[in-house]
Amino acid sequence: MKRCLTLLLAMLPALWLRAAQPEDPVTTADSTRTREGKMIGTIREVVREFDRTEDDYIEPPHYELAVEMRATRNFEDFELSSNGQSIMFSPDQRIKLGPYFGWRWVFLGTTFDLRNIQLFGNSAKREIDFSIYASQVGVDLFYRRTGSDYKLRDVRMGYGIDGRLFEGVPFDGISVGITGVNAYYIFNHRHFSYPAAFSPGTVQKISCGSWLAGAGYTRNTLDLDFDKLKHTVENRLGGDVEVKLDSGMLFDRVKYSDFSLSVGYAYNWVFAKDLLFCASGQAALAYKTSYGNTAGEYDGFSIKKVNLDAIGRFALVYNNTRWYTGLNAILRTKNYHTARFTANNIFGSFSAYIGYNFYLKKRYRKK
């Protein structure tokens, strides 16, 4: 023990002198650069992992960039029902056309209504869909404000009223908004390629499927002028019949929020060279809360429910790595069931597109 203490005391002056010496700026700079290089390398490796696949199953993208022309037809049905009464609303379906630009996982663009082209669109009507399709994960962002161009499609009021009388009757007393985000993980991402079906760059070589799991958040708003609805129905009937709306539909505004966990399966069927059909579905268990302003004795209410939502995706694609074309459809359902009323919202889009990949990646360039 004494020998150890003696040796330590003898070393202290040398250690003190070494600590007191200024650091070599060259050595310090090299050390800093080394740490930064390792950090950048780690970040690059994480990013590359999102696109890492097996070449026997998936042909990697040959190009960095893509341009695309896309025609889209959006659709939406919104149904309210309460105690045997139900009313379905939906706007006219219109075709929109516009350019898109893609870089790796991300596609951005805009479309214009061919019958009513406005540079900045209708201030009351907004539809923004943004998706990231990477090999390992996917993210959907959506923002929709429907405006006031709904029409009555199916009305069941009882009292012997023929609902066919209301088909196509304009009704501007309802407005629906939805804002949400959905993220999911693709388990078999080394063999199965979602980008091959929905963000053409990779090409699926062998038919393959994968389980999916994700989480999401959605915020809905619903505004309804029930007095205008009552008058619209009565005017259509000629004013001779007084319609009594069920109390479950007598509200001014309701807001919904839901947190969901989803699970699903997707499959890519390669039925010919460069030709792919994809079908996928996810069911989401959503915990939903809502509050709003209602009429009469029901003014002010709060509910907490668990409901089932769903999303389906379908695609038919031809892709030879340079040119690609295809069709796809994305369908979403949002359901709200309470003791007082039920609201079912189905919305989605059908798209047809043709695109061109360019700016060849370095490893594919001829030397």
Side-chain angles (χ1 to χ4, degrees):
M1 186 67 175
K2 290 182 179 180
R3 291 180 179 178
C4 292
L5 291 174
T6 303
L7 181 59
L8 179 61
L9 291 173
M11 293 175 61
L12 283 177
L15 293 173
W16 180 83
L17 288 173
R18 183 174 181 180
Q21 291 177 353
E23 294 185 357
D24 184 351
V26 176
T27 303
T28 303
D30 290 342
S31 177
T32 301
R33 282 194 295 268
T34 300
R35 288 195 299 269
E36 291 177 350
K38 289 181 178 179
M39 183 179 299
I40 293 173
T42 300
I43 294 174
R44 285 178 177 173
E45 186 63 24
V46 170
V47 172
R48 286 172 182 169
E49 183 63 27
F50 283 109
D51 262 348
R52 190 156 293 171
T53 59
E54 291 192 10
D55 291 350
D56 290 341
Y57 283 81
I58 301 169
E59 180 71 23
H62 291 198
Y63 301 88
E64 294 280 2
L65 305 173
V67 290
E68 179 182 299
M69 183 59 68
R70 179 181 294 258
T72 300
R73 185 172 185 176
N74 293 330
F75 70 93
E76 179 176 17
D77 285 333
F78 191 90
E79 183 178 15
L80 287 174
S81 60
S82 178
N83 293 327
Q85 293 184 351
S86 66
I87 304 176
M88 180 179 289
F89 309 86
S90 68
D92 287 332
Q93 298 180 18
R94 297 184 176 182
I95 297 177
K96 297 182 178 181
L97 183 68
Y100 277 72
F101 179 81
W103 173 75
R104 294 189 179 182
W105 315 323
V106 182
F107 263 76
L108 293 173
T110 187
T111 56
F112 301 95
D113 189 336
L114 298 181
R115 291 187 294 179
N116 184 27
I117 296 178
Q118 298 181 26
L119 184 59
F120 298 102
N122 185 337
S123 60
K125 191 177 183 70
R126 290 284 185 270
E127 296 176 1
I128 300 174
D129 290 292
F130 172 65
S131 296
I132 297 176
Y133 293 103
S135 297
Q136 194 172 24
V137 297
V139 179
D140 298 320
L141 299 172
F142 44 93
Y143 173 90
R144 295 170 60 87
R145 294 298 181 268
T146 60
S148 56
D149 58 350
Y150 276 95
K151 291 183 178 180
L152 302 181
R153 300 300 180 182
D154 187 15
V155 177
R156 300 179 184 180
M157 304 301 297
Y159 313 111
I161 297 174
D162 186 356
R164 292 174 296 182
L165 295 172
F166 305 96
E167 176 66 30
V169 174
F171 179 68
D172 61 358
I174 185 173
S175 179
V176 180
I178 180 170
T179 304
V181 58
N182 178 53
Y184 50 89
Y185 181 81
I186 302 165
F187 288 93
N188 191 22
H189 56 272
R190 292 185 181 273
H191 299 156
F192 168 85
S193 176
Y194 237 153
F198 296 97
S199 180
T202 61
V203 177
Q204 186 85 43
K205 294 180 179 179
I206 301 175
S207 299
C208 190
S210 177
W211 287 98
L212 317 170
Y217 170 77
T218 304
R219 181 67 178 269
N220 279 51
T221 60
L222 170 61
D223 293 277
L224 177 66
D225 188 334
F226 57 85
D227 284 330
K228 182 176 288 188
L229 176 60
K230 184 173 182 293
H231 293 155
T232 299
V233 173
E234 290 178 347
N235 289 338
R236 187 64 175 175
L237 294 172
D240 298 330
V241 179
E242 181 179 355
V243 176
K244 183 178 180 181
L245 293 176
D246 187 81
S247 58
M249 297 186 184
L250 304 184
F251 57 85
D252 297 319
R253 161 170 281 209
V254 179
K255 295 181 180 181
Y256 306 87
S257 295
D258 74 63
F259 300 86
S260 63
L261 297 176
S262 62
V263 63
Y265 190 80
Y267 190 79
N268 282 344
W269 176 36
V270 182
F271 58 93
K273 180 177 172 56
D274 300 331
L275 281 169
L276 166 73
F277 175 75
C278 176
S280 75
Q282 288 175 264
L285 197 63
Y287 175 80
K288 307 188 179 187
T289 63
S290 69
Y291 62 92
N293 300 322
T294 62
E297 60 179 317
Y298 296 99
D299 186 40
F301 68 90
S302 177
I303 59 173
K304 293 184 179 180
K305 283 282 187 176
V306 174
N307 296 148
L308 190 66
D309 295 334
I311 177 171
R313 305 174 198 263
F314 307 89
L316 177 64
V317 180
Y318 170 78
N319 187 355
N320 64 10
T321 71
R322 169 69 83 169
W323 289 93
Y324 63 90
T325 185
L327 305 169
N328 67 44
I330 300 176
L331 315 174
R332 305 176 191 273
T333 66
K334 296 291 181 181
N335 304 298
Y336 303 87
H337 301 280
T338 78
R340 297 183 53 249
F341 73 95
T342 298
N344 296 321
N345 190 198
I346 301 175
F347 64 95
S349 63
F350 297 103
S351 297
Y353 56 87
I354 183 169
Y356 178 76
N357 294 306
F358 64 101
Y359 194 69
L360 199 64
K361 290 187 174 182
K362 286 184 179 180
R363 65 173 175 168
Y364 295 107
R365 296 174 189 172
K366 294 182 180 180
K367 296 183 179 180

